[in-house]
Amino acid sequence: MMHQITPFISELQEVIKSTINQYPIKKDIVLQMLDGRLASEMRRLVPIENLREAGAFFTGSQLGKTVVSNEFSSTINKTSVLVDPTCGGGDLLLACTPYLQICDDLSETISQWQSNLCGIDLHSEFVDISKLRLILKALTLGADKNTSSFDLDSKYFLRFRNGSMFDNLEVLQSATHVLLNPPFYKMPSPESCQWASGKVNAAAVFFEVCLDNVQSGTRVVAILPDVLRSGSRYEKWRNTIMLKSEIQKIQLYGQFDAWADVDVFVVELIVKKKPLINSHVWAKQGDESETTLSDKFDISIGPVVDYRDPHEGPILKYIHPRGLTAWESVKVIESTRAFKGRTVQSPFVVVRRTSRQSDKYRAIGTIIDVEGDVAVENHLIVLKPKDGEMSTCQDLLNNLKDERTNAWINETIRCRHLTIKSLANLPWWRD
């Protein structure tokens, strides 16, 4: 499926040959080959649906530096075995090379790196690209002597494999370090999965399988979608991970890149059979002494799933995000719907679930102040004041508009839907 990228492989080989033979080349071409050019060529040559199906969105140098932190790199030495089981174009391994042994001689450097580096990818083209880029990287790091003795057509980086990570799990056994940028598509949960059923984010499965197949003491660092850190569906997954490891770092990053519209974070941990109590938390928690929204409101998701729930039962006032006025008090609801499920009575506040980091307000509220039962769509979160007072609802809008709310939510949840938990733990700000 990735044969479209073959022209880039040929160009990459030519750049390496030119560098080896010391032909006049432009340094900017070499730098592009090592950072950015692969991703742009993938977008140019391969249909976007194929990229999404393959999870072929590459790390780049900026995110690579975040992954290979000072703490992580300080544990790398000449005997380390660095494994990337979904290596793609090799970006994460490239980020590790400045911390490996570098000889003047290119062949000696590649020979040493061959014992340090291992990559696996489902697509043979990516395996070839990873190996070629590592050679080019070695040249830029100073392994540029006696280059004429290096044969680009010979076999090198013999520990790299073409295939599925799941069919090459024995490779993980030899790792001292694992670097992972797994695919984010949905996949069926494995039969052995203890934390979810049905379709789940593939990154959660890849990450857990890695932890289950490395030796105790292995250091693992991964780029993961924020839904795994903050989504309520993955709370059991997070608890499972903490039972298998000691978390060293959880760092928010933001949007993966301009083309992969998903927020990510970086987690670094050490696999342990009997981990100590983890002091790191996946998402920011409120101070136990603080008053939070859950102290003042009963919080729930709107019960109406419009496309699925039958139009049966009494005709009710019906609210949904479309056309709902932000920061206002709604006294007239024109939309109606037949519904026989749970309803809500005024006064209450609804908050739109769809929310992203770039929004001016992360939690946009509207007060509902009407007579009778109201059916609420499930793209809204319902906050019902425990004291039943309209003034408490107005105080909530002021709390949601407070700039501290945006900052708090941005640290707590980066995925595109707010959760009950993210609002329940939101502090009730005091002036």
Side-chain angles (χ1 to χ4, degrees):
M1 182 174 65
M2 290 296 155
H3 64 275
Q4 296 100 324
I5 199 64
T6 301
F8 176 79
I9 297 175
S10 299
E11 185 179 355
L12 183 54
Q13 289 172 327
E14 289 304 313
V15 170
I16 293 172
K17 289 177 181 178
S18 297
T19 307
I20 286 175
N21 295 319
Q22 297 180 346
Y23 297 150
I25 65 164
K26 294 182 179 179
K27 288 185 178 181
D28 60 337
I29 294 177
V30 173
L31 294 176
Q32 288 173 15
M33 289 293 186
L34 294 175
D35 183 27
R37 179 69 185 283
L38 172 58
S40 63
E41 286 298 285
M42 289 292 295
R43 293 190 296 272
R44 185 177 70 86
L45 296 170
V46 182
I48 188 65
E49 58 269 19
N50 288 6
L51 294 179
R52 288 174 177 154
E53 182 181 347
F57 293 98
F58 300 129
T59 307
S61 64
Q62 182 178 349
L63 184 49
K65 289 177 182 177
T66 301
V67 172
V68 185
S69 63
N70 291 336
E71 295 81 6
F72 187 87
S73 61
S74 68
T75 66
I76 297 174
N77 57 50
K78 65 180 181 181
T79 64
S80 297
V81 178
L82 311 173
V83 178
D84 184 343
T86 57
C87 67
D91 286 303
L92 292 179
L93 295 176
L94 283 168
C96 294
T97 54
Y99 311 102
L100 300 177
Q101 184 177 356
I102 301 167
C103 310
D104 289 344
D105 187 275
L106 178 60
S107 295
E108 289 182 16
T109 300
I110 299 304
S111 178
Q112 173 62 42
W113 288 8
Q114 192 162 251
S115 65
N116 296 130
L117 303 175
C118 177
I120 305 169
D121 201 275
L122 197 58
H123 302 282
S124 60
E125 294 86 354
F126 292 162
V127 174
D128 292 339
I129 288 170
S130 293
K131 295 194 290 187
L132 289 168
R133 293 174 82 210
L134 284 167
I135 293 171
L136 190 57
K137 183 69 172 181
L139 289 165
T140 65
L141 290 175
D144 55 359
K145 305 295 189 296
N146 302 319
T147 54
S148 59
S149 64
F150 183 79
D151 184 2
L152 192 58
D153 296 322
S154 64
K155 293 184 178 181
Y156 45 85
F157 292 121
L158 300 178
R159 303 181 75 164
F160 278 68
R161 298 188 181 188
N162 170 216
S164 166
M165 181 192 83
F166 302 105
D167 295 331
N168 291 276
L169 295 176
E170 72 280 1
V171 175
L172 293 170
Q173 286 286 315
S174 64
T176 61
H177 301 70
V178 174
L179 303 100
L180 185 66
N181 177 21
F184 297 170
Y185 56 71
K186 291 292 182 69
M187 65 176 286
S189 60
E191 291 183 6
S192 60
C193 181
Q194 299 294 312
W195 43 268
S197 58
K199 287 196 171 184
V200 297
N201 194 295
V205 176
F206 275 74
F207 190 67
E208 185 185 16
V209 168
C210 278
L211 268 56
D212 288 341
N213 287 276
V214 298
Q215 299 287 343
S216 181
T218 302
R219 189 173 290 263
V220 179
V221 63
I223 302 163
L224 300 175
D226 194 75
V227 67
L228 302 190
R229 182 187 68 90
S230 56
S232 55
R233 190 181 183 209
Y234 292 96
E235 184 171 0
K236 289 184 178 179
W237 175 86
R238 294 191 288 271
N239 292 335
T240 298
I241 298 306
M242 289 193 291
L243 291 173
K244 300 178 180 184
S245 63
E246 292 179 7
I247 297 174
Q248 306 296 300
K249 177 183 73 173
I250 293 175
Q251 182 175 346
L252 305 188
Y253 182 78
Q255 188 170 322
F256 184 88
D257 64 20
W259 297 271
D261 187 19
V262 59
D263 283 290
V264 298
F265 70 102
V266 174
V267 58
E268 183 180 333
L269 54 77
I270 300 174
V271 176
K272 294 285 182 70
K273 292 181 180 178
K274 294 182 179 180
L276 300 173
I277 296 175
N278 277 293
S279 59
H280 286 72
V281 293
W282 296 91
K284 185 173 182 177
Q285 306 293 319
D287 189 319
E288 291 184 2
S289 64
E290 287 182 323
T291 300
T292 63
L293 265 59
S294 63
D295 294 320
K296 290 179 172 287
F297 292 84
D298 294 319
I299 306 173
S300 62
I301 301 295
V304 180
V305 182
D306 194 42
Y307 72 89
R308 187 179 67 197
D309 290 332
H311 288 254
E312 298 174 356
I315 302 298
L316 303 169
K317 299 179 181 68
Y318 173 52
I319 57 173
H320 45 76
R322 298 178 297 280
L324 197 62
T325 306
W327 310 120
E328 298 289 340
S329 181
V330 173
K331 297 182 179 295
V332 176
I333 297 174
E334 296 182 353
S335 297
T336 59
R337 188 193 197 281
F339 184 63
K340 60 181 180 181
R342 177 172 60 87
T343 59
V344 189
Q345 290 190 332
S346 298
F348 61 93
V349 174
V350 289
V351 170
R352 293 139 184 79
R353 289 180 66 193
T354 301
S355 171
R356 61 176 61 205
Q357 185 185 1
S358 59
D359 291 343
K360 183 177 180 180
Y361 297 105
R362 287 299 310 270
I364 300 174
T366 300
I367 297 174
I368 307 300
D369 181 19
V370 297
E371 294 289 335
D373 293 336
V374 181
V376 182
E377 199 214 33
N378 75 322
H379 283 92
L380 294 168
I381 299 177
V382 177
L383 297 101
K384 177 83 171 165
K386 291 182 178 182
D387 62 9
E389 296 295 329
M390 179 65 68
S391 60
T392 307
C393 293
Q394 186 58 57
D395 288 343
L396 174 59
L397 293 195
N398 295 335
N399 200 82
L400 297 178
K401 274 187 171 183
D402 192 297
E403 61 183 16
R404 290 171 290 184
T405 291
N406 268 14
W408 196 92
I409 293 178
N410 281 336
E411 284 193 40
T412 303
I413 186 167
R414 296 290 183 92
C415 53
R416 303 301 159 78
H417 283 87
L418 297 178
T419 62
I420 291 176
K421 187 175 181 180
S422 64
L423 289 184
N425 291 331
L426 178 65
W428 190 261
W429 308 117
R430 295 183 177 91
D431 293 334

